[in-house]
Amino acid sequence: MEPQTHSPRDFDAVVVGAGFAGLYMLYRLRGLGLSVRVFEAGSGIGGTWFWNRYPGARCDIESLEYSYQFSPELQQDWEWSERYATQPEILRYLEHVADRFELRRDIELETRVSEARFDEASGRWAVATDRGSVSARFCIMATGCLSSTNTPAFPGIDRFAGATYHTGRWPHEGVDFSGKRVGVIGTGSSAIQSIPLIAEQAAHLFVFQRTPNYSIPAHNAPLDPERVESVKADYAGFRAQNSQRPFGANFPVNEHSALQVDATERAREYESRWQQGGLGFFTSFNDLILDRAANDTAAEFVRAKIHSIVNDPSVAEALSPQQVIGCKRLCVDTNYYATFNRPNVTLVDVANAPIEEILPAGLRTTRASYELDCIVFATGFDAMTGALLSIDIRGKAGQTLHDKWAEGPRTYLGLGTAGFPNLFLITGPGSPSVLSNMVPSIEQHVNWIADCIGYLRAQGRERIEATPGAEDAWVAHVNEVAGMTLYPSCNSWYLGANVPGKPRVFMPYLGFPPYVEKCNEVAAKDYEGFALG
Ligand code: N01
């Protein structure tokens, strides 16, 4: 590979985004001796954890594993305070990482990438931002799976006289809802975390629910020092064990089918997982996402819990999901269902009576009007493809990513896409990403990409690109695996179903351990399925 002989605006690599993925990518590329520039639209680093500052925002993977493992010293030194870290604590951690590894000097904040074009003659990417252009041999998208916010185009939205907020773009100074009539639209993870806290402040809270969600109690608490000590005594072993589990996270796996055991044993297992709290509920049995009858047993258990927590049986019924449990991402909460026992909280069904219009003083459904001082859009994201497609990315022969993905995203391993040489995606569609613990998935992708670039340099190569054949086979495989599960059975953001007009394609790949094995095999076979030039 030719040495860096270009102007100061020409780099070996450009990385888009300075969240968990972009920071570690920068660290690894620097370690290879590459010149790197990271562009970040936010005024600070942190990605998801910079933007999502709504009340109650915290991770729902345990802090001890929702963290980097690339530096054993960092892993030993950092002390998490709670089982599930809050957004401010995670952001402090990322700030610490940026300082500790002196990453900031290569990061340009408040710089939004608008275009990335591959120039065939030079084999370089021309990357345009709102503050000027650069070129780079490698263009690496660390843009996040859930970063492009989705706000439904409700008529009248611009005429609302009060304040509006999106959970994914929360004001840094916080919001005081005291004495206010607040409407929250949506009941996904962001809403489920924020509703109990908003309800404590607001004069009245209206929750506009289209689809109820299943939520498992977090049982969050300060971290037990003994547990921390035992994990830190063999952190590498803890990580290695988790990486072998289906979601790449410390969810204890039960090797039995829910239908293999009798009702008493089933109830005992669900109750024990419910008491344990968190997403490990979903690995209570090994077939919950594979078999509808098995899934029904878990769904019924949670519905019964909702009825036991919520005093008004009609509200409990309205909060009880009917879809497959886990089909939409399972939520983890603190006091969510109990919040509906408060006299200042009203659940409004907008499935049967949809929101028709935002009014200057509230909103109107097909059934009634509601007076509101503030509206919180907890309406989620244009997941997995939104951030990528918001950039005008053009590969060989000027082909746009937008056109290539018109029928849904097409990638090889979620790492690259045919026709776009030297463009890497971190946790792109077609990789486990959102169906796994994101941080280890990010590290696995970053390591793979850095090793790949190191290999190209060692071989004197300048270019790598997924072959159309390998990509077709991978897309078919991702679909085949999804087709064996119950995931396609509901309208989830995994399928793009939350964004009107988005192609309905199951985007993540289920199965962290086999995926990692496949990536390692591809690398070991000199990047099988990629063309090198
Ligand atoms: O978004 P969502 P989110 N009218 O898409 C509703 C991660 N995360 O920000 O289901 C009325 O889940 C929509 O209704 P429906 C996590 O992976 C993690 O909450 O489409 N309602 C739904 O209820 C999560 O899954 C944490 O019928 C409308 C809600 O808005 C992902 O981010 C915390 C509507 C959107 O829910 C996204 O979660 C937070 C309309 N027109 C997020 N349009 C952790 O704990 C949409 N809705 C780590």
Side-chain angles (χ1 to χ4, degrees):
M1 191 169 300
E2 67 189 69
Q4 185 65 55
T5 54
H6 307 278
S7 81
R9 300 301 281 172
D10 294 330
F11 298 93
D12 291 323
V14 154
V15 176
V16 186
F20 265 101
L23 293 177
Y24 181 45
M25 193 75 244
L26 168 59
Y27 173 84
R28 279 299 316 266
L29 293 176
R30 253 200 211 159
L32 290 173
L34 266 64
S35 63
V36 189
R37 181 54 37 120
V38 179
F39 294 117
E40 166 56 57
S43 60
I45 60 150
T48 286
W49 301 103
F50 174 84
W51 296 108
N52 287 269
R53 295 169 186 247
Y54 58 82
R58 58 173 78 239
C59 57
D60 60 8
I61 298 277
E62 295 191 10
S63 322
L64 286 168
E65 49 172 339
Y66 193 84
S67 49
Y68 290 120
Q69 58 193 301
F70 71 85
S71 160
E73 297 78 22
L74 168 68
Q75 198 164 242
Q76 288 296 331
D77 292 350
W78 186 263
E79 290 183 19
W80 295 106
S81 63
E82 294 175 79
R83 180 179 182 188
Y84 300 107
T86 60
Q87 174 271 329
E89 190 169 12
I90 300 171
L91 191 55
R92 268 202 306 282
Y93 170 76
L94 289 171
E95 299 274 0
H96 169 80
V97 169
D99 291 335
R100 184 175 181 130
F101 299 102
E102 297 178 9
L103 300 177
R104 293 184 199 271
R105 66 174 188 268
D106 292 324
I107 303 173
E108 281 185 37
L109 299 173
E110 293 185 90
T111 307
R112 183 171 286 281
V113 172
S114 51
E115 285 176 18
R117 296 181 184 215
F118 183 69
D119 175 54
E120 292 196 50
S122 64
R124 296 177 67 83
W125 283 89
V127 178
T129 77
D130 51 5
R131 292 180 179 233
S133 299
V134 301
S135 89
R137 169 89 43 214
F138 298 102
C139 183
I140 303 170
M141 295 297 172
T143 40
C145 297
L146 295 157
S147 46
S148 180
T149 56
N150 169 49
T151 304
F154 294 117
I157 198 164
D158 296 331
R159 293 199 306 274
F160 184 62
T164 60
Y165 308 97
H166 191 289
T167 47
R169 290 288 178 274
W170 204 258
H172 288 201
E173 62 279 15
V175 180
D176 183 3
F177 290 110
S178 305
K180 302 270 201 283
R181 294 162 302 179
V182 183
V184 172
I185 303 177
T187 48
S189 296
S190 304
I192 281 177
Q193 287 186 329
S194 56
I195 280 169
L197 295 172
I198 296 175
E200 284 176 12
Q201 269 194 353
H204 200 93
L205 173 62
F206 294 92
V207 177
F208 297 95
Q209 171 185 269
R210 187 164 68 181
T211 315
N213 254 315
Y214 296 94
S215 188
I216 310 300
H219 298 313
N220 188 39
L223 264 175
D224 172 7
E226 276 180 26
R227 166 146 163 81
V228 175
E229 202 183 314
S230 88
V231 168
K232 287 192 172 178
D234 181 19
Y235 226 136
F238 176 69
R239 299 289 198 170
Q241 182 191 52
N242 298 342
S243 73
Q244 290 308 313
R245 294 187 155 153
F247 297 97
N250 186 25
F251 309 147
V253 178
N254 183 336
E255 296 300 346
H256 294 105
S257 155
L259 305 175
Q260 250 178 337
V261 298
D262 65 23
T264 313
E265 171 54 22
R266 246 191 334 256
R268 206 154 51 84
E269 185 67 20
Y270 288 139
E271 184 62 36
S272 138
R273 302 267 179 155
W274 181 270
Q275 295 308 333
Q276 178 65 26
L279 296 171
F281 182 84
F282 204 54
T283 52
S284 293
F285 294 99
N286 69 4
D287 53 353
L288 296 186
I289 201 60
L290 301 175
D291 183 298
R292 184 69 203 240
N295 189 283
D296 281 344
T297 64
E300 194 44 50
F301 177 88
V302 178
R303 285 192 289 262
K305 284 287 184 194
I306 297 171
H307 277 270
S308 74
I309 298 167
V310 178
N311 298 337
D312 180 334
S314 67
V315 176
E317 192 52 31
L319 285 167
S320 296
Q322 299 306 316
Q323 72 271 14
V324 157
I325 183 170
C327 179
K328 284 172 183 278
R329 188 177 179 286
L330 199 57
C331 302
V332 175
D333 73 280
T334 300
N335 294 331
Y336 175 64
Y337 295 119
T339 295
F340 292 88
N341 293 332
R342 295 176 65 102
N344 70 332
V345 176
T346 306
L347 182 66
V348 182
D349 167 19
V350 294
N352 294 310
I355 297 170
E356 274 207 325
E357 189 185 6
I358 308 286
L359 305 168
L363 67 75
R364 186 166 59 77
T365 71
T366 53
R367 195 174 290 152
S369 293
Y370 300 86
E371 294 204 346
L372 302 170
D373 303 307
C374 320
I375 300 178
V376 174
F377 292 97
T379 42
F381 300 90
D382 183 353
M384 305 203 69
T385 55
L388 292 166
L389 295 178
S390 71
I391 301 171
D392 184 5
I393 302 175
R394 293 175 189 240
K396 288 195 309 199
Q399 185 189 25
T400 67
L401 191 65
H402 205 272
D403 283 349
K404 178 171 176 188
W405 287 8
E407 307 293 318
R410 301 185 67 76
T411 72
Y412 179 38
L413 301 172
L415 281 160
T417 184
F420 296 76
N422 294 354
L423 177 78
F424 291 106
L425 314 174
I426 302 180
T427 63
S431 74
S433 59
V434 293
L435 289 182
S436 67
N437 178 359
M438 282 304 297
V439 184
S441 268
I442 283 169
E443 283 186 303
Q444 185 253 337
H445 264 197
V446 168
N447 287 334
W448 193 95
I449 293 166
D451 292 349
C452 174
I453 291 175
Y455 174 90
L456 294 176
R457 285 161 69 96
Q459 300 285 319
R461 307 277 201 162
E462 298 200 330
R463 210 188 256 212
I464 183 164
E465 178 189 347
T467 65
E471 179 171 292
D472 289 348
W474 184 252
V475 170
H477 177 60
V478 172
N479 284 327
E480 187 193 345
V481 173
M484 292 185 310
T485 73
L486 301 170
Y487 280 117
S489 70
C490 73
N491 290 325
S492 68
W493 59 254
Y494 296 138
L495 283 159
N498 61 326
V499 175
K502 193 166 171 174
R504 193 180 171 97
V505 172
F506 190 75
M507 294 182 284
Y509 177 71
L510 179 65
F512 183 74
Y515 174 81
V516 174
E517 206 173 297
K518 169 76 179 172
C519 289
N520 292 343
E521 194 183 296
V522 164
K525 292 185 177 163
D526 298 320
Y527 295 90
E528 187 179 49
F530 288 92
L532 274 50

